[in-house]
Amino acid sequence: MIDTDLLLEKGATYRHTEAGEIIFNEGAQATFYYQLVSGKVRWSHFDDNGKEVLHKIVEAGEAFGELPLFDGEPYGASAVADSPCTLLRLSTTSFHELLAEHPDIHLAFTKSMVSHLRFKVFLLNALAKNNPQTALVELIDYFNRHGKLICQDCNRLMVTRQQLANMVGLRVETVIRAIKQLQQEDKLCIVKGKVFVPADGV
């Protein structure tokens, strides 16, 4: 989202994480702006029983955990490295200075937050239909239309069945059954356990 050289000029530093490492916890105060250079990060809430509600999978080039930098409130979810990651982090003070110096970047963040909000509304509408297969079709189609979490070269879905379940609040067994049904309807293709999406959508 922000040019790497610009971040480094403002004092950003690199951080490397291992898969499963917690980058920040829900409820903590935000002290850095984070931007992912490589790898994937899960932005999730965990209930008292350890069940994960997956809000977003952050991909390389995207920012995460930025909302508290605008309202001063604690993190609403935790960030967990889904794979070995390299990220850039910039202090909150320097981040605010950067926004003041570059109104175009500030506007880009506004658009990004609107996009996140629209996705949440979309997901709520899909789940309100109370049909797991419909919810999955609409979610995968959303990924396809927005170029998210689907390999642009081979059309492979880049999330696991468990992650899909965590996104839509379903049991993984329900997601597996729904995916098999979609395969029988020729809406998805499964090869060696990997899910592939038709180029023209599900």
Side-chain angles (χ1 to χ4, degrees):
M1 177 158 293
I2 301 177
D3 183 77
T4 299
D5 291 337
L6 184 57
L7 286 172
L8 293 173
E9 286 175 12
K10 295 298 292 184
T13 56
Y14 285 99
R15 178 182 168 186
H16 303 282
T17 65
E18 298 300 323
E21 185 174 337
I22 296 174
I23 300 167
F24 57 74
N25 278 305
E26 177 181 353
Q29 203 64 36
T31 54
F32 292 100
Y33 162 77
Y34 290 95
Q35 187 163 298
L36 190 60
V37 177
S38 64
K40 288 184 180 179
V41 170
R42 302 194 319 275
W43 189 51
S44 304
H45 166 76
F46 297 88
D47 67 17
D48 293 338
N49 296 317
K51 182 179 179 181
E52 180 178 5
V53 177
L54 180 56
H55 297 292
K56 182 182 180 183
I57 295 181
V58 183
E59 298 183 283
E62 296 182 332
F64 62 98
E66 69 273 24
L67 296 182
L69 302 179
F70 291 91
D71 64 7
E73 295 294 320
Y75 287 119
S78 300
V80 183
D82 196 51
S83 64
C85 295
T86 298
L87 50 90
L88 277 165
R89 65 181 191 177
L90 181 69
S91 72
T92 301
T93 300
S94 295
F95 176 73
H96 289 155
E97 290 175 356
L98 189 151
L99 292 185
E101 295 167 3
H102 300 273
D104 56 322
I105 295 177
H106 203 304
L107 178 61
F109 273 101
T110 301
K111 291 180 178 179
S112 175
M113 285 187 276
V114 169
S115 177
H116 293 329
L117 182 58
R118 284 188 180 277
F119 175 70
K120 284 299 179 184
V121 171
F122 155 80
L123 195 55
L124 284 172
N125 287 338
L127 294 176
K129 296 173 183 175
N130 203 29
N131 183 315
Q133 186 172 321
T134 298
L136 282 177
V137 166
E138 294 188 5
L139 180 59
I140 294 170
D141 190 55
Y142 179 94
F143 292 153
N144 210 22
R145 286 185 287 109
H146 290 82
K148 298 285 187 180
L149 302 175
I150 292 179
C151 175
Q152 297 303 296
D153 295 322
C154 67
N155 287 339
R156 181 166 69 89
L157 188 63
M158 304 298 287
V159 290
T160 66
R161 292 159 178 79
Q162 183 65 65
Q163 288 172 335
L164 284 173
N166 292 344
M167 280 185 179
V168 295
L170 298 170
R171 296 172 66 244
V172 68
E173 293 83 2
T174 303
V175 170
I176 290 172
R177 284 196 299 270
I179 285 178
K180 286 181 178 178
Q181 181 63 37
L182 290 171
Q183 181 188 28
Q184 291 172 4
E185 296 173 3
D186 293 326
K187 293 181 177 179
L188 294 174
C189 180
I190 302 176
V191 180
K192 296 181 179 179
K194 306 297 183 183
V195 179
F196 293 83
V197 180
D200 55 354
V202 292

